[in-house]
Amino acid sequence: MIIKKDFLVIGSGIAGLTFALKASQFGSVAIVSKDKLAESATLYAQGGIASVMTDDDSFELHASDTIESGRGLCREDVVRIICREGPSHVRELINLGVKFTRRGEDYHLSREGGHSRDRILHANDLTGQEIERAMIEAINSKKNITVFPHHMLIDFITRGRLDSRVEPGSAKDEALGAYTLDVNTKQVKTFLSKITLLASGGAGKVYLYTSNPDTATGDGIAAAYRAGTKIANMEFIQFHPTCLYHPQAKSFLISETVRGEGGILRLKNGRTFMETYHPLGCLAPRDIVARAIDHEMKKSGDDCVYLDITHMKGYQIRERFPNIYQTCLQFGFDMVNKPIPVVPAAHYTCGGVLVDLNGQTNIRHLFASGEVCYSGLHGANRLASNSLLEGLVLSNRAVAKAALLLKSGSFNNINPDDIPSWDCGNAVDSDESVVVSHNWDEIRRIMWNYVGIVRSNKRLHRAERRIQLLLNEIKEYYWNFTITKNTLELRNIALTAHLIIMSALQRKESRGLHFTLDYPETDSDWKKDTVLQDTTRRMVNQTSLKTTSHE
Ligand code: SIN
């Protein structure tokens, strides 16, 4: 089945929906979402969206906080543009109907680690949910946007894959669309588009413990890499310092805004410790807080540390953090009276598909925005609440650029007859699904144990040897059995794990979120990005298995 639209949007968080809404002014749009439309990392964002909103703040201050947090790797032009263009797009969100929390006439602005001003707009602790609600309402009112929920990206269709004269990932390569799996019917659908935006989010599920939703399996990063895009700085995985410690809580996030409201980190014996690690104490940048907690837990042998917000009055906590309060209570922790047990967990993929100031990748007509991309905003460590902002601004810029391309006639006009339809060849249904669940679990444990907050050459090499074995096994499995959501996700987390390890092995220093015992200092020679690219011409279709060499 072939679906042809002007714009194909893969992902339905703030980056995808912003692009879709604006692009619908210029043509027809398909939104492909792996789960129900609202399901995305945006939906779970608690803290909020950083934006300069008051006279005692400035773009320069927001930019310098971002650059300080990014430890020398931010692209300063990108940082300045995103900080400067943020507030007007935030106002558009407000006009769309997003209700940020107010205190009287003014918006209530909170603070998180690394920010020198209160500048985080939020909807109590359900910011992402409120943004998704308002944006989806707007999407539903647009006639030329068609939504395809429960459709998963399999692979991009590119000129480089179809035409042997075009080198994959070269200046001549271009995106033509994508193959997707309809998760409910198991049917493969082919989307053809003039312009494609990838906004499928990050890869937290590569790790055993993560604050991310189940959908965060690095699908976009892996598919873009297979297509020949450049992937930058994958070693920078942000671990959020405070996720609820409870076997059933699935690393539920305890927002940094709890520390912004004066929450204090304590050891089991009640002693505070952050003051010995950083002058900003509990509000130090995230890499420092996560590493400090990891260090203290290893020193004491304790399973967690504690976050104490008991200085706030009960009604204040219930009003400011209704979701966190209720969830903690459900697990038996009353944060009004007692500190909450917390541990770090994988939270944000700072690296990703390398894009320019307009979200353009190195493959023509393929844009990327949000957590899936690396624009240079976050550098080696993302400043809290800058991610919704990045998705919002970059997607607006990407639409503007895409509209210019359409106007100038610079887009592919592929004939659907030239696209090979998906054929599963001799693949059969698997009767060994245990392979998928076993490998999935193994990858996540390897990554947590060897490629986590503190790394070393030995741990990284050990991890890579094991991931290579799994990649080979998964490759065989992928081509022999009918694809399912689980096999696609497994293939993607394995490849994303490999990209994280390869980038971490390249960087022979410690910087921001990448800390290795073998090179504990920051090295100015390494003030540069790690970039991976694979230009092997890969088959995308199971039919060609018998005739083409493939990865
Ligand atoms: C939080 O609320 O702590 C998360 C905010 C973010 O990761 O930007």
Side-chain angles (χ1 to χ4, degrees), residues 237-249:
I237 299 292
Q238 187 170 67
F239 289 82
H240 196 290
T242 59
C243 291
L244 185 61
Y245 176 68
H246 185 281
Q248 264 88 52

Side-chain angles (χ1 to χ4, degrees), residues 340-356:
I340 321 163
V342 290
V343 283
H347 181 60
Y348 196 87
T349 312
C350 288
V353 181
L354 188 63
V355 294
D356 70 7

Side-chain angles (χ1 to χ4, degrees), residues 70-91:
R71 303 279 188 274
L73 284 197
C74 294
R75 278 191 57 188
E76 297 196 7
D77 52 345
V78 173
V79 173
R80 293 209 161 78
I81 282 174
I82 291 185
C83 292
R84 204 172 51 230
E85 295 183 4
S88 66
H89 295 305
V90 166
R91 277 185 206 100

Side-chain angles (χ1 to χ4, degrees), residues 184-199:
N184 292 331
T185 65
K186 313 268 190 301
Q187 193 190 8
V188 174
K189 289 184 189 155
T190 306
F191 285 86
L192 296 185
S193 53
K194 293 175 180 166
I195 302 284
T196 301
L197 174 84
L198 178 62

Side-chain angles (χ1 to χ4, degrees), residues 356-431:
D356 70 7
L357 278 170
N358 299 313
Q360 170 72 62
T361 71
N362 58 298
I363 293 185
R364 287 183 304 138
H365 309 137
L366 178 62
F367 291 77
S369 175
E371 190 173 353
V372 76
C373 83
Y374 180 80
S375 69
L377 175 70
H378 307 314
N381 180 32
R382 178 185 65 105
L383 185 67
S385 288
N386 262 356
S387 41
L388 294 177
L389 182 73
E390 182 191 43
L392 182 67
V393 175
L394 209 57
S395 286
N396 269 288
R397 294 181 68 85
V399 172
K401 182 70 206 254
L404 282 179
L405 290 176
L406 288 195
K407 207 166 154 202
S408 65
S410 163
F411 52 84
N412 77 75
N413 218 344
I414 188 91
N415 182 346
D417 294 342
D418 295 339
I419 302 292
S421 57
W422 185 268
D423 184 332
C424 63
N426 293 330
V428 293
D429 286 347
S430 163
D431 55 2

